[in-house]
Amino acid sequence: MDVTIRVKRQDPEAGDERRLPYWQDYPVTIADNATVLDALIQIREDDDGTLSLRCSCRSAICGSCAVRINGHAGLACKTIANTVVQDGVIAVEPAGVMPVVKDLVVNFDLFWEKIEAVDPYLKHMGQEPEGEYIVSNEAMLHLSGVTACIMCGACVSDCTVLEVDPTFLGPAALAKAYRFTADPRDGDAEGVSMERLWALSEPTGIWDCTRCNECVQACPKGVAPMDRIMAMREQAIQAGYDNNNGARHTDAFTESVGHSGRLDELRLPIKSVGMMNLPALMDYMPVAFRAMRRGKMPPIAHKNVENVDAVRRIFARTQPEPEAAKVSNNSPFG
Amino acid sequence: MKYAFFPGCVSQGGAPELYPAARMVCDRMGIELEEIPGWTCTGAGVIQEKNQLFGDTLNARNFAKAEQMGLPILTICSTCQGVMSQANHRMRNPEYLAEINSHLAEEGLEYSGNSEPKHLLWILIEDYGLDKLGALITRPLNELKVAPFYGCYIVRPTEALDIEEHPERQQSLEMLIQLLGATLVDFEGKTRCCGFPILTINQRNSMAMVGKHTSEVKDLGADAMVTPCPLCHLNLDGFQPKAASQARRSIDLPILHMPQLIGLAMGMSPNELGLKRHIISTGPLEVKLRGR
């Protein structure tokens, strides 16, 4: 197969214009079943020894070769080239968010700082168990979905929050945090990781995620970091850490729909920031006035849907039982 | 063609100009819309983070009602599309579906698991046909440069949205913009997040996202951005002045709902399409359209 590999290159230490990002085209002939990594290695070996990239296992195990292919993060070694050719071209860029060292190699310092920030080790609260701690097969199987993470940074690369705010803990570190909040050995005797959930409920934590699904899409190992973040939101609310805008927003939203069948858009932001939070409420006033002037305000009187009693009964019946809810590894994932 | 119409809360709440505009263009195309009686919110992904079972049951209830009507579902909201598709995907598990149906039985409802809700954008391409739509364009938007903005939920996760079977869904908005005669302003941010879900949680980040996408497109010379997602519209239009002040620059990029852009190309007036309700003035865009 003949294809052009269009590589975004950069050498920040160069003394000339190569210190800024530029595209370079490499026409190559590769096997039909070649991966994008095969093509990149071929370029480096045969055409241009100055092209820098990171790789090792070529089997989607080591997590070294995460790049952006046609704008989306993934492992070069796991992507079959002929499935991503667009008009004869495959565009390859370094992973996003992290600074470029050279060409396709990025600096992972930010990635590791965030992993370290979530204390990536078991923390048992209270008395140590006397003997070994036997964990159920079921619990370990569930955790294996998260421990499948190979730290490739694809999720971090494409995170829409990290793109605008480097203080966010980000998908990889939060998925790592879930590996402990969902571990029955972590936290108190019932396996509830109170301390972690408290820390994760602070700004830069679980509530700063936009639920954009980029990390779910980017992850080559099916870890689904965003789904883990959502599970931790549920764990945090159930552990009683609900005094924040995120938890209030989720509560108010669910109550509104559970009570009337539809969303009360007028009252939701007020309940989210807190009824007594006057500065935050005043902050919304200019937006509200502009909307009112344009006739855009949601109706003042929120109406119930037809047969709303049926919705209310579904709401009541689908509430989790309080006792079961206390156990942090009681997650919605299989 | 007739559909069970699922308008979503925002098209009758924070973005009330969307609902009538969607009905008008569907009328013109001969697409008949019968609103699902007593439909409820999909949960928007928010309810699902607290109580997935409740959220999914609400969706199954809407699907079951549409099945009673004997009609496929049409929505005009990217977020609703994504949440419905995700719920549907989970309900492919027969045990889960049975549990959900047990909560619907009291109302005499049962969901088969076979519904395939679709956004108007997908219906135009897959069911209605762009050729047929092209024949209804009486005022091609040749003067306008328009950028697409999808909304996360209509593009990810691809598995729940059946993108593999329908790869054209990832290009649908670009195809539509070009069909309507406008010049496509393509940009990487088109499938990124508008920031709306964290508006009340981390407003600074939310505004940074609005500012990033709208100013990038503005600087590329676009006259407008078009979105099939009313929640994106709320943030990109309603909060654009705030985002601009945070970014310390002027932006003033009109944001159009997808049916409004179609309506303009069908010769409908900006007023009847509700453009005057937008926070960012569509005046300059209207002047361009009049100036022929």
Side-chain angles (χ1 to χ4, degrees):
Chain A
M1 179 178 67
D2 291 331
V3 62
T4 296
I5 309 290
R6 183 165 293 162
V7 183
K8 191 182 255 182
R9 303 194 60 187
Q10 185 184 2
D11 182 0
E13 289 178 7
D16 53 24
E17 68 275 12
R18 287 176 301 149
R19 71 180 189 281
L20 299 170
Y22 62 100
W23 291 97
Q24 185 164 350
D25 282 2
Y26 296 99
V28 291
T29 304
I30 51 173
D32 282 348
N33 60 355
T35 64
V36 173
L37 181 62
D38 291 334
L40 290 169
I41 290 173
Q42 186 178 318
I43 292 167
R44 189 183 61 182
E45 301 294 315
D46 300 345
D47 305 331
D48 184 351
T50 70
L51 178 66
S52 297
L53 61 125
R54 235 189 226 131
C55 62
S56 180
C57 76
R58 308 182 193 197
S59 315
I61 296 291
C62 75
S64 301
C65 67
V67 288
R68 273 188 175 156
I69 299 164
N70 297 336
H72 300 286
L75 295 180
C77 73
K78 200 181 176 227
T79 309
I80 303 295
N82 74 20
T83 63
V84 289
V85 183
Q86 293 178 352
D87 301 324
V89 177
I90 301 172
V92 183
E93 297 168 74
V97 170
M98 295 165 281
V100 171
V101 176
K102 186 171 177 290
D103 298 336
L104 300 176
V105 178
V106 296
N107 183 324
F108 259 61
D109 286 355
L110 173 129
F111 180 94
W112 295 114
E113 277 164 23
K114 291 181 188 305
I115 297 282
E116 277 172 30
V118 300
D119 294 348
Y121 39 83
L122 281 173
K123 291 200 287 189
H124 188 77
M125 312 288 285
Q127 217 178 339
E128 289 293 322
E130 280 176 17
E132 58 185 323
Y133 191 119
I134 310 288
V135 183
S136 71
N137 271 341
E138 195 188 10
M140 284 320 286
L141 271 175
H142 175 63
L143 286 179
S144 68
V146 205
T147 54
C149 174
I150 54 172
M151 309 271 177
C152 67
C155 59
V156 165
S157 160
D158 282 12
C159 174
T160 50
V161 179
L162 281 172
E163 186 173 59
V164 298
D165 179 7
T167 69
F168 178 46
L169 279 171
L174 288 170
K176 176 59 82 181
Y178 179 77
R179 181 253 168 276
F180 296 102
T181 65
D183 191 315
R185 295 166 296 181
D186 195 83
D188 63 19
E190 286 172 338
V192 182
S193 309
M194 297 298 281
E195 195 186 302
R196 282 185 199 279
L197 292 169
W198 169 78
L200 292 165
S201 300
E202 292 291 294
T204 76
I206 49 177
W207 294 104
D208 275 6
C209 166
T210 62
R211 286 187 278 113
C212 74
N213 266 306
E214 286 276 14
C215 57
V216 176
Q217 196 68 40
C219 178
K221 305 302 274 187
V223 172
M226 187 197 93
D227 293 348
R228 313 302 175 170
I229 297 170
M230 295 310 118
M232 284 191 289
R233 287 184 179 179
E234 193 177 359
Q235 290 172 340
I237 292 175
Q238 285 168 6
Y241 300 123
D242 52 8
N243 185 24
N244 57 62
N245 286 3
R248 269 193 296 270
H249 178 259
T250 301
D251 272 339
F253 195 116
T254 310
E255 293 289 329
S256 169
V257 177
H259 185 75
S260 69
R262 286 181 204 163
L263 184 59
D264 183 348
E265 289 173 87
L266 195 60
R267 282 156 195 87
L268 181 68
I270 302 172
K271 286 184 177 166
S272 300
V273 298
M275 297 288 260
M276 295 298 146
N277 188 351
L278 286 178
L281 291 175
M282 290 303 288
D283 197 40
Y284 284 108
M285 292 311 272
V287 178
F289 278 128
R290 274 196 292 268
M292 228 161 10
R293 239 183 13 238
R294 299 282 187 162
K296 257 180 91 80
M297 287 294 273
I300 304 278
H302 183 64
K303 280 194 211 141
N304 295 329
V305 301
E306 192 181 304
N307 201 9
V308 70
D309 287 341
V311 176
R312 289 178 188 167
R313 281 194 292 272
I314 292 172
F315 181 50
R317 274 200 309 266
T318 53
Q319 290 309 300
E321 290 179 27
E323 274 316 298
K326 282 277 179 212
V327 184
S328 74
N329 64 345
N330 179 30
S331 110
F333 304 95
Chain B
M1 292 176 93
K2 192 172 175 184
Y3 288 89
F5 185 33
F6 184 86
C9 304
V10 181
S11 75
Q12 292 173 309
E17 65 281 358
L18 171 59
Y19 186 93
R23 276 210 176 269
M24 278 167 60
V25 299
C26 284
D27 262 4
R28 182 71 61 91
M29 291 186 286
I31 295 177
E32 203 181 326
L33 301 177
E34 188 179 332
E35 199 162 320
I36 300 172
W39 59 267
T40 63
C41 173
T42 63
V46 180
I47 291 179
Q48 283 78 0
E49 70 195 32
K50 183 181 159 89
N51 185 344
Q52 189 163 282
L53 178 62
F54 174 51
D56 288 353
T57 306
L58 289 182
N59 283 290
R61 183 175 178 269
N62 293 331
F63 299 160
K65 281 171 175 271
E67 283 183 331
Q68 278 189 341
M69 296 161 75
L71 296 172
I73 297 173
L74 178 151
T75 184
I76 49 174
C77 171
S78 293
T79 302
C80 299
Q81 174 67 55
V83 176
M84 288 194 285
S85 293
Q86 288 171 33
N88 223 3
H89 193 68
R90 285 188 286 268
M91 285 187 271
R92 286 182 196 169
N93 175 343
E95 280 171 32
Y96 189 52
L97 179 63
E99 181 185 5
I100 282 175
N101 272 326
S102 75
H103 294 298
L104 296 180
E106 172 204 286
E107 236 186 313
L109 292 171
E110 187 179 1
Y111 174 46
S112 71
N114 297 324
S115 185
E116 199 196 338
K118 279 191 186 181
H119 194 288
L120 174 61
L121 174 63
W122 294 352
I123 284 172
L124 289 179
I125 288 166
E126 294 163 23
D127 303 352
Y128 189 76
L130 288 185
D131 292 351
K132 228 165 120 191
L133 175 58
L136 295 173
I137 295 170
T138 54
R139 193 175 66 183
L141 309 173
N142 298 327
E143 296 86 346
L144 297 187
K145 293 181 182 166
V146 179
F149 197 90
Y150 279 89
C152 300
Y153 279 55
I154 202 168
V155 288
R156 286 181 301 272
T158 48
E159 197 188 351
L161 296 165
D162 295 326
I163 299 290
E164 210 166 297
E165 295 97 284
H166 297 282
E168 73 286 353
R169 287 179 179 177
Q170 289 180 308
Q171 289 293 314
S172 49
L173 203 47
E174 290 91 323
M175 287 158 72
L176 181 69
I177 290 170
Q178 288 171 316
L179 179 83
L180 301 178
T183 303
L184 173 68
V185 178
D186 211 354
F187 80 118
E188 271 191 12
K190 67 189 172 189
T191 56
R192 303 289 274 175
C193 179
C194 71
F196 185 71
I198 50 168
L199 178 63
T200 61
I201 299 164
N202 190 330
Q203 199 185 76
R204 204 174 164 76
N205 286 354
S206 182
M207 291 305 99
M209 291 176 192
V210 172
K212 182 176 164 39
H213 303 312
T214 53
S215 54
E216 187 177 337
V217 160
K218 183 75 181 184
D219 294 346
L220 288 169
D223 299 299
M225 191 185 247
V226 64
T227 181
C229 181
L231 282 73
C232 293
H233 192 276
L234 280 179
N235 221 30
L236 297 169
D237 177 59
F239 282 81
Q240 197 185 114
K242 203 172 175 73
S245 89
Q246 182 174 307
R248 294 168 191 251
R249 59 165 286 173
S250 67
I251 303 174
D252 292 323
L253 178 76
I255 314 292
L256 300 184
H257 296 287
M258 186 191 82
Q260 290 176 325
L261 192 74
I262 300 172
L264 287 174
M266 288 174 168
M268 295 172 189
S269 79
N271 266 355
E272 58 184 333
L273 291 165
L275 264 57
K276 64 178 187 302
R277 289 206 159 177
H278 293 190
I279 301 302
I280 302 299
S281 167
T282 51
L285 174 155
E286 292 171 39
V287 169
K288 266 199 169 182
L289 281 178
R290 272 200 304 269
R292 242 180 299 177

